[in-house]
CSV table of all heavy atoms in Angstrom, one decimal:
chain,number,residue,atom,x,y,z
A,355,ALA,N,-11.0,7.3,-10.9
A,355,ALA,CA,-10.6,7.2,-9.5
A,355,ALA,C,-10.3,8.6,-8.8
A,355,ALA,O,-10.0,9.5,-9.5
A,355,ALA,CB,-9.4,6.3,-9.4
A,356,THR,N,-10.8,8.6,-7.5
A,356,THR,CA,-10.5,9.9,-6.8
A,356,THR,C,-9.5,9.9,-5.8
A,356,THR,O,-9.2,10.9,-5.1
A,356,THR,CB,-11.8,10.4,-6.2
A,356,THR,OG1,-12.3,9.3,-5.3
A,356,THR,CG2,-13.0,10.6,-7.1
A,357,ALA,N,-8.8,8.8,-5.7
A,357,ALA,CA,-7.6,8.6,-4.9
A,357,ALA,C,-6.4,7.9,-5.6
A,357,ALA,O,-6.8,6.9,-6.2
A,357,ALA,CB,-7.9,7.9,-3.6
A,358,THR,N,-5.3,8.4,-5.5
A,358,THR,CA,-4.2,7.8,-6.1
A,358,THR,C,-2.9,7.9,-5.3
A,358,THR,O,-2.8,8.9,-4.6
A,358,THR,CB,-3.9,8.3,-7.6
A,358,THR,OG1,-2.9,7.6,-8.3
A,358,THR,CG2,-3.7,9.9,-7.6
A,359,GLY,N,-2.0,7.1,-5.5
A,359,GLY,CA,-0.7,7.2,-4.8
A,359,GLY,C,0.3,6.1,-5.2
A,359,GLY,O,0.1,5.3,-6.1
A,360,SER,N,1.4,6.3,-4.6
A,360,SER,CA,2.6,5.4,-5.0
A,360,SER,C,3.4,5.1,-3.7
A,360,SER,O,3.4,5.9,-2.8
A,360,SER,CB,3.4,5.9,-6.1
A,360,SER,OG,4.1,7.1,-5.6
A,361,LEU,N,4.2,4.1,-3.9
A,361,LEU,CA,5.1,3.7,-2.8
A,361,LEU,C,6.5,3.3,-3.5
A,361,LEU,O,6.4,2.3,-4.1
A,361,LEU,CB,4.7,2.6,-1.8
A,361,LEU,CG,5.5,2.3,-0.7
A,361,LEU,CD1,5.6,3.4,0.2
A,361,LEU,CD2,4.9,1.0,0.1
A,362,LEU,N,7.5,3.9,-3.2
A,362,LEU,CA,8.8,3.7,-3.9
A,362,LEU,C,9.5,2.9,-2.7
A,362,LEU,O,9.7,3.2,-1.6
A,362,LEU,CB,9.5,4.9,-4.2
A,362,LEU,CG,10.9,4.7,-4.6
A,362,LEU,CD1,11.0,3.8,-5.9
A,362,LEU,CD2,11.5,6.1,-4.8
A,363,VAL,N,10.1,1.7,-3.1
A,363,VAL,CA,10.9,0.9,-2.3
A,363,VAL,C,12.2,0.7,-2.8
A,363,VAL,O,12.5,0.3,-3.9
A,363,VAL,CB,10.3,-0.5,-2.1
A,363,VAL,CG1,11.0,-1.4,-1.0
A,363,VAL,CG2,8.8,-0.4,-1.7
A,364,VAL,N,13.3,1.1,-2.0
A,364,VAL,CA,14.7,1.0,-2.5
A,364,VAL,C,15.4,0.1,-1.5
A,364,VAL,O,15.4,0.5,-0.2
A,364,VAL,CB,15.4,2.4,-2.4
A,364,VAL,CG1,16.9,2.2,-3.0
A,364,VAL,CG2,14.6,3.3,-3.5
A,365,GLY,N,16.0,-1.0,-1.9
A,365,GLY,CA,16.8,-1.9,-1.0
A,365,GLY,C,16.3,-3.3,-1.4
A,365,GLY,O,15.5,-3.5,-2.4
A,366,PRO,N,16.8,-4.4,-0.7
A,366,PRO,CA,16.5,-5.7,-1.1
A,366,PRO,C,15.0,-6.1,-1.2
A,366,PRO,O,14.6,-7.0,-1.8
A,366,PRO,CB,17.3,-6.5,0.0
A,366,PRO,CG,18.4,-5.6,0.4
A,366,PRO,CD,17.9,-4.2,0.3
A,367,ALA,N,14.3,-5.3,-0.3
A,367,ALA,CA,12.8,-5.8,-0.3
A,367,ALA,C,12.2,-5.5,-1.7
A,367,ALA,O,11.2,-6.2,-2.0
A,367,ALA,CB,12.2,-4.8,0.7
A,368,ALA,N,12.8,-4.6,-2.4
A,368,ALA,CA,12.2,-4.4,-3.8
A,368,ALA,C,12.3,-5.6,-4.7
A,368,ALA,O,11.4,-6.0,-5.5
A,368,ALA,CB,12.9,-3.1,-4.4
A,369,ALA,N,13.5,-6.3,-4.6
A,369,ALA,CA,13.8,-7.4,-5.3
A,369,ALA,C,12.8,-8.6,-4.9
A,369,ALA,O,12.7,-9.6,-5.6
A,369,ALA,CB,15.2,-7.8,-5.3
A,370,SER,N,12.3,-8.5,-3.6
A,370,SER,CA,11.4,-9.5,-3.0
A,370,SER,C,10.1,-9.4,-3.5
A,370,SER,O,9.2,-10.2,-3.0
A,370,SER,CB,11.6,-9.6,-1.5
A,370,SER,OG,13.0,-9.8,-1.1
Side-chain angles (χ1 to χ4, degrees):
T356 55
T358 184
S360 64
L361 184 65
L362 173 64
V363 186
V364 180
S370 303

